């Protein structure tokens, strides 16, 4: 009868210490995975320590960054009417009260051309002729027409600035959720048609999509590998051994990344 090799004898003669060692490695890896984070700032993927990036950071500090600004597009067939402007002002007030919002800018903040006091958008009810004049004044205003108001005067742009400089995904997600809830309520209950966009929305949706698709890819890859293994060996035990070995290696690698402080990003996620 052939004698087992050294590796086989080691496993057979020291099963309990080996199982305890494996369990300890899994425990350490699990703690590392808890500390694992996703890279939520795309700039860090290509950031370099050079003068170009230093100038970019300096410009962002002095003039602000698009990474903390959400664009709210407001459309209405009767924007310049008592109901339309009333809903518009209510939207602005609601956005300003949202937690995590630093400031809101729109044509409602402007003053009539040539005046420092009279608001461009009046608060009181006015006649239809008066609203037509307000529409023309807004369209012809040098800071409104073609900027925060379309030339057809049926679409307005509202700028929502989030708190903090380049806020993280974790900080943006609840704010964006509240903002989407507000826009859904106004789309349902008002005369306005509202949509939102901007870098925070793109970053948040992209990261959520990557995480979701990565989970689907992992499950699909596991099923496909198991099927191929089964077609080759036709033994359940062999399939389980091969699958568990791959899963254990992945688990340990993720745990090691967590302990080393390496964040998951769009590049190493594929690996």
């Amino acid at each position: 009868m052939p004698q087992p090799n050294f590796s086989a004898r080691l496993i057979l003669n020291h099963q309990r210490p080996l199982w305890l060692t494996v369990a300890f490695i899994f425990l350490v890896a699990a703690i590392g995975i808890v500390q694992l984070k996703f890279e939520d700032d795309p700039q860090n993927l290509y950031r370099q320590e050079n003068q170009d990036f230093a100038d970019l950071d300096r410009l962002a500090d002095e003039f602000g960054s698009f990474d903390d600004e959400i664009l709210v597009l407001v459309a209405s067939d009767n924007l310049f009417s008592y109901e339309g402007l009333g809903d518009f002002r209510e939207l602005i007030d609601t956005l300003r009260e949202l937690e995590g919002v630093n400031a809101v800018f729109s044509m409602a903040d402007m003053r009539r051309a040539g005046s420092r006091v009279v608001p461009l958008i009046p608060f009181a009810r006015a006649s239809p002729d008066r609203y037509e004049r307000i529409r023309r004044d807004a369209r012809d205003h040098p800071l409104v027409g073609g900027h925060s108001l379309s030339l057809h005067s049926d679409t307005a742009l509202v700028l929502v600035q989030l708190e903090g400089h380049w806020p993280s995904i974790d900080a943006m997600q609840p704010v964006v959720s509240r903002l989407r809830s507000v826009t859904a309520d106004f789309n349902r209950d008002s005369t306005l048609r509202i949509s939102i966009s901007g870098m925070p929305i793109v970053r948040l949706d992209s990261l959520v999509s990557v995480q979701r698709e990565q989970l689907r890819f992992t499950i699909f890859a596991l099923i496909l590998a198991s099927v191929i293994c089964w077609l080759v060996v036709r033994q359940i035990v062999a399939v389980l051994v091969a699958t568990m070995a791959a899963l254990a290696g992945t688990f340990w690698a993720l745990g090691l990344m967590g302990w080393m402080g390496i964040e998951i990003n769009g590049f190493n996620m594929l690996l």
Side-chain angles (χ1 to χ4, degrees):
M1 182 177 179
Q3 296 294 323
N5 57 30
F6 175 77
S7 300
R9 291 197 306 270
L10 180 65
I11 295 175
L12 292 174
N13 297 331
H14 304 85
Q15 293 188 29
R16 184 170 182 177
L18 286 176
W19 280 113
L20 290 176
T21 302
V22 172
F24 177 75
I25 295 176
F26 269 102
L27 177 62
V28 174
I31 298 175
I33 289 179
V34 173
Q35 305 175 35
L36 194 62
K37 297 181 179 179
F38 282 87
E39 175 57 71
D40 58 6
D41 189 350
Q43 297 187 72
N44 291 335
L45 296 179
Y46 53 85
R47 176 173 291 277
Q48 300 178 9
E49 298 299 330
N50 54 34
Q51 187 60 40
D52 292 337
F53 275 91
D55 293 340
L56 178 62
D57 291 336
R58 179 177 56 81
L59 290 175
D61 291 335
E62 293 181 2
F63 300 102
S65 168
F66 292 114
D67 283 357
D68 59 355
E69 296 175 351
I70 294 179
L71 303 178
V72 180
L73 196 65
V74 182
S76 176
D77 295 331
N78 298 294
L79 181 59
F80 286 89
S81 64
Y82 179 74
E83 293 78 10
L85 291 180
D87 290 337
F88 185 79
R89 282 192 177 279
E90 184 180 356
L91 172 65
I92 300 301
D93 294 338
T94 303
L95 293 177
R96 284 176 174 152
E97 293 174 357
L98 288 180
E99 182 181 357
V101 171
N102 181 48
V104 178
F105 305 97
S106 71
M107 64 178 181
D109 302 312
M110 297 297 174
R111 298 294 180 262
R112 187 186 304 174
S115 174
R116 297 182 179 181
V117 179
V118 181
L120 179 63
I121 307 299
F123 292 90
R125 180 186 290 269
S127 64
D129 293 340
R130 172 61 175 157
Y131 283 116
E132 176 60 23
R133 179 181 174 183
I134 295 171
R135 185 190 69 81
R136 292 196 305 267
D137 290 344
R139 182 196 61 191
D140 298 336
H141 196 288
L143 298 178
V144 176
H147 300 285
S148 59
L149 180 68
S150 67
L151 297 180
H152 296 288
S153 305
D154 58 355
T155 304
L157 185 65
V158 178
L159 180 64
V160 178
Q161 186 181 57
L162 304 182
E163 292 180 348
H165 175 62
W166 288 350
S168 65
I169 292 296
D170 291 338
M172 279 192 290
Q173 189 163 12
V175 181
V176 172
S177 298
R178 289 190 287 268
L179 183 59
R180 281 175 167 160
S181 177
V182 168
T183 57
D185 292 341
F186 273 85
N187 282 330
R188 183 183 64 251
D189 302 328
S190 74
T191 61
L192 307 178
R193 300 186 303 275
I194 305 172
S195 57
I196 60 176
S197 184
M199 283 304 298
I201 304 294
V202 174
R203 289 175 56 190
L204 178 61
D205 290 348
S206 298
L207 181 61
V208 171
S209 177
V210 167
Q211 293 175 342
R212 181 176 61 251
E213 294 302 322
Q214 178 62 22
L215 178 60
R216 293 177 179 176
F217 175 79
T218 302
I219 295 175
F220 175 77
L222 179 61
I223 295 175
L224 182 61
S226 300
V227 171
I228 294 176
C229 187
W230 163 253
L231 293 176
V232 173
V233 301
R234 299 300 180 101
Q235 292 184 1
I236 295 296
V237 175
V239 173
L240 291 177
V241 170
T243 303
M244 294 304 296
L247 291 177
T250 303
F251 193 85
W252 293 354
L254 292 176
L256 181 61
M257 291 174 60
W259 279 108
M260 296 179 64
I262 301 176
E263 297 182 343
I264 295 180
N265 55 48
F267 295 147
N268 60 28
M269 181 179 292
L270 299 177
L271 302 177

